[in-house]
Amino acid sequence: MSNLLLDGKNAVIYGGGGAIGGAVARVFAREGARVFIAGRTRAKLDAVARDIAAAGGKAETAVVDVLDPYAVEKHADAVAATAGGIDIALNAVSVMHDQGTPLADLSLEEFMRPIDGFLRTLFITSKAVARHMGRERPGVILTLSEPGSKLAIGGILGHSVSAAGKEAFTRTLAAELAPGGVRVIGIRPHAVVDAPAAGSYTADLFEQTAAASGQSVQDLLEGGGMAQGTLLKRLPTLSEIAETAAFLASDRSGVMTGTIANLSGGALVD
């Protein structure tokens, strides 16, 4: 019997060329999964695939527009046909949005950008993979949210509503898919301390907040206000998120569904 958490599993990661998506893809492959990474930027996808191949893992890439339902369904169908089914899916797609602007200065477009962007991709990707999951082989859909889902802080209206929406989507989809043997679990990391160095869009996302406090983005993440607002006085790492995702996607967490794994360092206490 293999000691690998995900031995023989087929995993699809949307946004697999990004900081979190790439980190999760590498760990999934290390744990024995056959990984299919999809996203917008070929060079980033290929870089992750090379890392996985160099470590002896299996990864296949595809440039997919996750806002196009037909393109996502076609890709999911191809993965299922090639691999014999889909066992795990993660949406790690990033949507650039505003953080730091109060209501009086916030446009409707900027308010709606994260809500429409994140939830649209979550709906499209979940619908595409769910058809290939469950029944004779259990499936797992993982989602990503943020502490903004519950934190009451000025200047993050669109972000907060988006995060809360992703968690509501997770709970409700878990109820709908449970009879078919599909688990749905959310992961709620705080800002990730080493994500900007890995090419994350958060390097730009947090620039306004960092500037307002007279810090660089890295200073803000390593020991500034965000870190100090947690019980542990530090923010999560990409490795911690990826390792948690692998456990949640594995049979070892087989009784977990409809819940959110809190990786906020204690910024939120459930």
Side-chain angles (χ1 to χ4, degrees):
M1 183 176 178
S2 173
N3 290 322
L4 298 176
L5 282 175
L6 306 176
D7 192 33
K9 304 284 189 181
N10 303 318
V12 181
I13 300 175
Y14 300 99
I20 291 179
V24 171
R26 293 178 182 96
V27 171
F28 277 13
R30 186 200 72 201
E31 291 298 328
R34 182 177 179 181
V35 178
F36 297 83
I37 51 178
R40 295 167 291 196
T41 308
R42 168 65 68 185
K44 290 185 176 181
L45 296 171
D46 288 346
V48 175
R50 282 195 299 270
D51 288 347
I52 290 172
K58 299 177 181 178
E60 298 172 44
T61 64
V63 175
V64 178
D65 178 1
V66 292
L67 292 173
D68 180 347
Y70 174 76
V72 175
E73 286 178 7
K74 184 179 178 181
H75 173 257
D77 290 348
V79 169
T82 298
I86 297 173
D87 302 299
I88 305 161
L90 167 69
N91 185 321
V93 173
S94 58
V95 178
M96 189 63 186
H97 58 280
D98 176 89
Q99 288 194 33
T101 303
L103 174 65
D105 300 317
L106 188 67
S107 69
L108 175 60
E109 180 183 11
E110 282 300 331
F111 171 71
M112 289 301 302
R113 189 186 305 278
I115 300 167
D116 183 67
F118 282 117
L119 293 177
R120 186 179 293 263
T121 67
L122 192 53
F123 176 87
I124 290 170
T125 57
S126 298
K127 186 172 183 178
V129 299
R131 298 174 301 141
H132 301 290
M133 287 182 162
R135 295 170 294 279
E136 65 278 359
R137 54 194 293 169
V140 181
I141 294 176
L142 299 175
T143 67
L144 285 168
S145 69
E146 301 83 23
S149 61
K150 292 187 174 183
L151 287 174
I153 297 174
I156 59 168
L157 271 176
H159 168 73
S160 255
V161 173
S162 167
K166 287 184 282 186
E167 295 188 3
F169 182 96
T170 299
R171 291 189 296 269
T172 306
L173 188 63
E176 184 172 326
L177 298 185
V182 178
R183 300 186 293 122
V184 187
I185 304 174
I187 303 173
R188 185 204 291 146
H190 209 331
V192 185
V193 67
D194 52 346
S200 170
Y201 80 122
T202 55
D204 297 321
L205 180 67
F206 297 136
E207 191 170 354
Q208 183 178 350
T209 302
S213 60
Q215 298 176 300
S216 68
V217 170
Q218 205 54 48
D219 288 340
L220 176 73
L221 297 178
E222 288 182 354
M226 284 190 183
Q228 294 305 310
T230 71
L231 293 181
L232 296 178
K233 306 303 180 189
R234 71 174 186 88
L235 298 173
T237 65
L238 289 169
S239 175
E240 288 169 331
I241 295 167
E243 298 291 348
T244 300
F247 169 74
L248 295 175
S250 76
D251 295 339
R252 295 185 190 180
S253 67
V255 77
M256 291 181 68
T257 194
T259 191
I260 310 297
N262 183 358
L263 275 65
S264 70
L268 290 177
V269 180
D270 295 325

